Amino acid sequence: MRTKFRFSIPFLAFFLLISSLSINASEVNIDVNNDPEKDKVLIYVLKNILTRGHFVVKDMNDDFSEVVYNSFIDGLDPSKRYFTQQDLKEFSQYKYQIDNQLLQDDLSFYKLVYGRFLKKIKNAKSYYGDLLAQPFNFDENETIDLDYEKVPFAKNDAELMDYWRKQLKLQTLSRIEEQTDLQKDKLEKDKNFKVKSFAMIEKEARKEVLKNMDDLYIRIEELEHDDWFSTFLNSVVGAFDPHTTYMDPNIKERFDQTISGKLEGIGARLQKKGIYTHVSDLVIGGPASKQGELEPDDIILKVAQGDEEPVDIVGMRLDDAIKFIKGPKGTEVRLTVKKKLDGSIKVISIIRDVVQLDETFVKSSIVEKNGKKYAIIDLPSFYIDFSDDNYRDSAKDMEKEIERLKTEGVVGLIVDLRNNGGGSLKTAIEISGLFIDQGPIVQVKYRGEDPVVKKDIDPQVQWEGSVVVLVNEFSASASEIFAAAMQDYKRAVILGGNQTYGKGTVQNILPINQFYPKYEKDLGFLKMTIQKFYRVNGGSTQQEGVYSDIAMPSRYSYMKFGERDLDGALAWDKVPQAKYTQTNSYANFNDVVYNSKERIANDTNFKLVNEYAKWLKKSQDETTFSLNSKTFFAEGEAKEKEADKFKSVFDYKSNLTFLSPKYEQDLFKTNQDLADKRIAWHKNLAKDMYVSEALNVLSELKLREKGKIVKN
């Protein structure tokens, strides 16, 4: 069953905002010691910061009010399970009043909608519990439409119950289909396998749906007022643009971990199952992994700080449990754990440490083609740790990795930016500078000001050989800065999807308390769009992204999820071109691009990928499903037959062998986990048709060097 796809892009957040955004507490009549007034404090501070500092000058008027109104209701009830048209009629009295309320720090709209939402949540358990208590009628000819943007809200509570019935019926049907297919597979392997009746499968399917719904509502009930108020705040700040968001302290902490690639703790990923906190997996090389006693699927019952009294975390929300388990480097945490294997209870002592999230960092692989060595560098994000100058960042790691590859005789590089959603603008500029001597890399512009050219001022060129940059539709932000610079300088061939994501804005993270210092509790952070960035040729990457020199079909070719498809995305524009000199690194650039396009157009694998992408788009557009079991199963079988045509779409295998650099091979002797990860990656590279074509392009490029042409 296809579900609606929503994509969220990481963001650039890295300039200190230097402005006069100061707010005087005396301007608003708020008792900062009164905790219930925190919501009003947040509204007051946020509206002042946004109207003074956001890149876009936006009036808080009726149009703004309507955006907030629709966004908040959709944020609470995206599947239209709770509110009815009767509710909306009551809510609509505020549809064009929210702007006025915000200006007066009035939360009447929020309180009305949130209060009604809480009542609906309480009713929901009885809805799904009653509906799943009895078998559904699968002989009835009815359908359900899952395009909730088009489906109207239920007229009344009776129609709302019917919405619930249809959604639960579809979930049950999907599980019946899965179990029926599973039985068929088992029967083919074992003729004596005892097949369950439809009635029995249906009963088990309803039981499974009920458990999933119970688990969902356990998580929903764990959410607190602050969580729901964050939804409202994001409706307000998001009305300025899609990348301006309110971040509560927990969200900010997770962002810091993502952008730095490290955290302080035990190195275990946790998940909530029912009332229990389970160990999902361990970070290789982390404290828990090294200590050796904690294992995936263990259940953590209690947490103690050293020899202090342990805290029972059973039933505790996951975010709160994690706060007890994490802690500063060098401190001890004692976990009371129920072991997965034998159910025994054990106390495990772990000394916390800095945990590196290795999947965040640069890695490379070397491959030989036509007697010459080439390398692919995977750059998953433009990571940096702003709190620690001595900690690794993507620019330092790239420079080091390139130097190592040079010592092994590599003559051409593929820089893989596929699925790289961005990161630090600073590191994007520094990494671009590794491939040119010096000059402009990007232009950045505050509202109402002239653009400022950001340059690479280091004349050293770390890599003078040929470069191909691999991108796709998820390459965004800092990835687009690097790809655009390489394209504008004609320093690299850009290869990948038709165009990258198209995020051409810069955000800054602002601690809200600094604008309202009298409030003692943590108010969280505002990630605010403060700049747009532009290519050195003057064009913005906003909405347009970077168009590939060589576009290759992918499964995403016809999908809609780029910046241009986001409501409220800032428009494309341009500024004057910066002064820069193209390197024109290749004597046969146009010929190589032409040859590659010809290969792709005539390649049966790429043709099949293109057909598959069209089929995926067609499937995405089909949002109506039958709830008649015979029709549902028949449609499923027909869909499966269609899918069979594309089974071989990614069965591509090259004859290439990918190997780790020598320095990494030495690490394998003491780190088998790393070795296993690299073996898996290399197998995937050998099956990657996009990497193979990038290598074809790389091997054909002819460098210009002091009046001579150098063939790779």
Side-chain angles (χ1 to χ4, degrees):
M1 186 180 71
R2 189 192 65 77
T3 54
K4 191 164 185 180
F5 181 78
R6 290 178 180 268
F7 181 68
S8 174
I9 280 289
F11 46 83
L12 282 164
F14 317 108
F15 283 166
L16 291 175
L17 181 61
I18 302 171
S19 65
S20 57
L21 297 180
S22 58
I23 296 170
N24 187 343
S26 63
E27 292 177 21
V28 62
N29 184 22
I30 292 174
D31 178 2
V32 295
N33 296 313
N34 185 3
D35 190 61
E37 292 296 299
K38 176 183 175 183
D39 295 349
K40 288 187 177 181
V41 173
L42 278 166
I43 287 292
Y44 173 75
V45 177
L46 287 173
K47 74 185 179 191
N48 277 279
I49 298 174
L50 287 163
T51 53
R52 300 181 195 185
H54 193 278
F55 183 82
V56 174
V57 178
K58 180 161 289 204
D59 293 329
M60 295 178 72
N61 53 22
D62 286 355
D63 290 339
F64 178 90
S65 182
E66 185 177 12
V67 171
V68 176
Y69 174 88
N70 291 327
S71 176
F72 183 49
I73 291 172
D74 183 61
L76 292 182
D77 192 12
S79 301
K80 299 183 176 173
R81 285 184 170 183
Y82 304 113
F83 298 136
T84 66
Q85 292 182 29
Q86 292 173 340
D87 294 316
L88 292 185
K89 186 176 181 180
E90 189 174 350
F91 299 160
S92 64
Q93 63 181 304
Y94 295 121
K95 191 170 188 177
Y96 302 107
Q97 296 298 319
I98 300 170
D99 55 319
N100 300 321
Q101 290 185 357
L102 292 173
L103 292 171
Q104 296 166 15
D105 308 311
D106 180 355
L107 294 172
S108 299
F109 167 71
Y110 166 74
K111 289 176 181 176
L112 172 63
V113 177
Y114 174 58
R116 185 68 46 82
F117 179 68
L118 290 183
K119 290 179 182 177
K120 300 282 186 172
I121 288 288
K122 288 179 181 177
N123 293 337
K125 275 197 168 183
S126 63
Y127 289 170
Y128 73 76
D130 291 345
L131 289 166
L132 290 168
Q134 301 295 327
F136 292 103
N137 178 4
F138 291 111
D139 295 327
E140 195 176 354
N141 289 318
E142 59 180 352
T143 60
I144 184 173
D145 190 349
L146 297 184
D147 188 349
Y148 295 115
E149 291 184 5
K150 294 180 181 177
V151 173
F153 281 92
K155 292 178 183 176
N156 48 43
D157 287 341
E159 191 169 275
L160 184 66
M161 282 290 286
D162 200 51
Y163 275 27
W164 272 90
R165 181 186 64 81
K166 285 186 174 183
Q167 291 186 27
L168 294 169
K169 187 176 180 180
L170 179 62
Q171 291 179 48
T172 304
L173 256 180
S174 298
R175 280 159 180 77
I176 293 171
E177 184 180 44
E178 289 170 10
Q179 289 304 312
T180 303
D181 290 343
L182 190 61
Q183 284 202 147
K184 287 179 182 177
D185 292 341
K186 288 182 177 179
L187 192 59
E188 286 180 6
K189 296 174 184 176
D190 180 5
K191 299 300 179 184
N192 297 317
F193 176 75
K194 190 175 180 180
V195 177
K196 296 177 182 177
S197 67
F198 179 88
M200 187 177 293
I201 294 174
E202 194 271 350
K203 185 177 181 180
E204 290 177 353
R206 280 187 289 113
K207 187 177 180 180
E208 186 181 347
V209 172
L210 179 62
K211 182 184 181 302
N212 289 341
M213 292 300 294
D214 283 341
D215 288 344
L216 170 65
Y217 277 87
I218 286 174
R219 292 194 296 273
I220 288 175
E221 287 169 355
E222 285 181 343
L223 297 173
E224 299 171 344
H225 167 79
D226 284 354
D227 298 306
W228 299 116
F229 191 63
S230 291
T231 302
F232 177 65
L233 291 178
N234 275 305
S235 299
V236 174
V237 303
F240 280 79
D241 85 296
H243 300 292
T244 294
T245 58
Y246 168 73
M247 304 167 71
D248 69 33
N250 290 331
I251 297 292
K252 172 62 164 55
E253 186 176 357
R254 288 196 284 273
F255 165 75
D256 288 341
Q257 292 171 12
T258 300
I259 197 65
S260 68
K262 73 172 185 178
L263 57 88
E264 287 189 73
I266 66 171
R269 295 184 177 90
L270 308 175
Q271 65 180 127
K272 195 73 179 289
K273 294 182 181 178
I275 62 173
Y276 295 106
T277 298
H278 287 243
V279 177
S280 161
D281 63 88
L282 304 178
V283 177
I284 294 170
S289 173
K290 290 177 180 177
Q291 198 269 356
E293 294 183 82
L294 193 67
E295 298 172 293
D297 292 324
D298 285 350
I299 298 172
I300 302 175
L301 304 174
K302 298 179 182 179
V303 182
Q305 311 304 318
D307 58 3
E308 294 179 9
E309 189 70 21
V311 175
D312 189 336
I313 65 167
V314 175
M316 186 180 290
R317 56 183 282 175
L318 185 60
D319 281 350
D320 292 335
I322 289 172
K323 288 176 184 176
F324 285 105
I325 295 168
K326 287 175 61 178
K329 174 182 177 179
T331 58
E332 180 191 20
V333 62
R334 295 180 186 175
L335 308 177
T336 302
V337 170
K338 183 177 181 180
K339 298 297 292 179
K340 171 202 173 186
L341 290 178
D342 57 9
S344 62
I345 306 297
K346 187 174 187 179
V347 177
I348 299 174
S349 171
I350 301 173
I351 304 300
R352 300 174 176 111
D353 202 349
V354 174
V355 181
Q356 290 192 357
L357 307 176
D358 287 334
E359 64 270 23
T360 304
F361 301 133
V362 165
K363 63 179 182 286
S364 70
S365 183
I366 296 173
V367 60
E368 194 168 308
K369 183 179 175 68
N370 300 331
K372 296 198 174 183
K373 285 185 178 181
Y374 302 95
I376 179 167
I377 297 181
D378 179 51
L379 179 61
S381 71
F382 289 79
Y383 51 89
I384 194 170
D385 185 353
F386 289 103
S387 65
D388 185 356
D389 290 338
N390 296 318
Y391 192 70
R392 62 190 301 179
D393 68 47
S394 49
K396 294 174 188 172
D397 285 354
M398 278 288 286
E399 184 175 7
K400 189 183 297 182
E401 202 70 18
I402 290 171
E403 192 58 35
R404 287 164 169 165
L405 294 171
K406 282 160 64 175
T407 64
E408 297 202 35
V410 167
V411 298
L413 279 185
I414 299 170
V415 179
D416 191 352
L417 298 180
R418 291 176 295 178
N419 305 317
N420 182 326
S424 162
L425 177 61
K426 176 178 180 290
T427 59
I429 294 169
E430 290 173 352
I431 291 172
S432 300
L434 299 176
F435 298 92
I436 64 169
D437 52 7
Q438 58 186 4
I441 300 298
V442 66
Q443 302 184 74
V444 293
K445 183 181 184 299
Y446 286 103
R447 79 179 192 190
E449 297 183 9
D450 293 332
V452 176
V453 178
K454 297 290 182 178
K455 300 180 179 180
D456 165 48
I457 58 175
D458 185 354
Q460 180 182 353
V461 180
Q462 185 69 13
W463 179 257
E464 296 180 334
S466 299
V467 186
V468 168
V469 178
L470 259 181
V471 296
N472 66 3
E473 293 82 354
F474 296 116
S475 303
S477 206
S479 293
E480 295 172 296
I481 291 174
F482 174 76
M486 295 300 97
Q487 188 175 63
D488 290 342
Y489 275 91
K490 290 194 177 294
R491 181 64 186 89
V493 178
I494 312 301
L495 190 71
N498 183 53
Q499 64 193 108
T500 55
Y501 186 82
K503 181 180 178 295
T505 56
V506 182
Q507 284 71 42
N508 194 10
I509 304 290
L510 300 170
I512 297 172
N513 287 83
Q514 80 177 34
F515 302 103
Y516 206 87
K518 289 190 177 182
Y519 198 86
E520 295 179 358
K521 293 188 177 180
D522 195 342
L523 291 169
F525 299 79
L526 175 65
K527 174 175 73 74
M528 182 172 67
T529 298
I530 57 168
Q531 295 171 318
K532 286 180 76 173
F533 64 76
Y534 301 83
R535 302 170 65 138
V536 292
N537 70 9
S540 173
T541 60
Q542 178 64 13
Q543 295 202 30
E544 292 292 307
V546 177
Y547 288 92
S548 295
D549 298 313
I550 302 167
M552 299 185 286
S554 80
R555 69 183 75 192
Y556 310 117
S557 292
Y558 301 99
M559 298 286 190
K560 287 187 175 181
F561 46 62
E563 182 84 5
R564 55 200 171 278
D565 299 307
L566 292 179
D567 291 337
L570 301 189
W572 179 91
D573 63 342
K574 61 182 180 178
V575 297
Q577 179 174 306
K579 293 181 180 179
Y580 70 103
T581 303
Q582 291 183 335
T583 62
N584 289 317
S585 300
Y586 310 105
N588 61 341
F589 183 94
N590 292 334
D591 290 340
V592 171
V593 169
Y594 176 82
N595 291 341
S596 179
K597 288 181 177 179
E598 285 290 297
R599 273 194 302 273
I600 292 166
N602 296 311
D603 187 277
T604 54
N605 291 306
F606 282 118
K607 285 180 180 178
L608 188 60
V609 170
N610 193 53
E611 290 304 309
Y612 178 56
K614 289 179 180 177
W615 181 77
L616 285 176
K617 173 59 177 170
K618 177 172 167 283
S619 299
Q620 184 189 47
D621 292 339
E622 293 172 355
T623 60
T624 302
F625 295 85
S626 173
L627 295 176
N628 176 287
S629 57
K630 290 180 181 178
T631 306
F632 183 84
F633 296 150
E635 289 174 348
E637 286 178 11
K639 184 71 70 176
E640 207 168 302
K641 285 181 181 177
E642 287 181 23
D644 284 343
K645 295 186 293 186
F646 304 108
K647 273 188 175 178
S648 63
V649 68
F650 294 110
D651 284 349
Y652 174 85
K653 290 182 182 178
S654 69
N655 296 318
L656 300 169
T657 301
F658 292 83
L659 299 170
S660 286
K662 289 177 182 176
Y663 83 90
E664 201 169 65
Q665 292 181 30
D666 292 337
L667 299 176
F668 296 161
K669 298 171 186 175
T670 56
N671 192 338
Q672 187 58 45
D673 288 326
L674 179 63
D676 292 342
K677 280 186 173 181
R678 292 299 184 261
I679 289 169
W681 182 44
H682 295 156
K683 284 182 179 178
N684 288 332
L685 289 175
K687 295 187 292 184
D688 192 327
M689 66 182 78
Y690 302 97
V691 170
S692 290
E693 182 54 30
L695 286 167
N696 288 335
V697 170
L698 203 53
S699 65
E700 287 184 9
L701 286 170
K702 296 176 182 177
L703 282 170
R704 297 182 188 274
E705 186 181 346
K706 296 179 181 178
K708 297 185 293 183
I709 294 174
V710 179
K711 179 88 165 60
N712 280 333

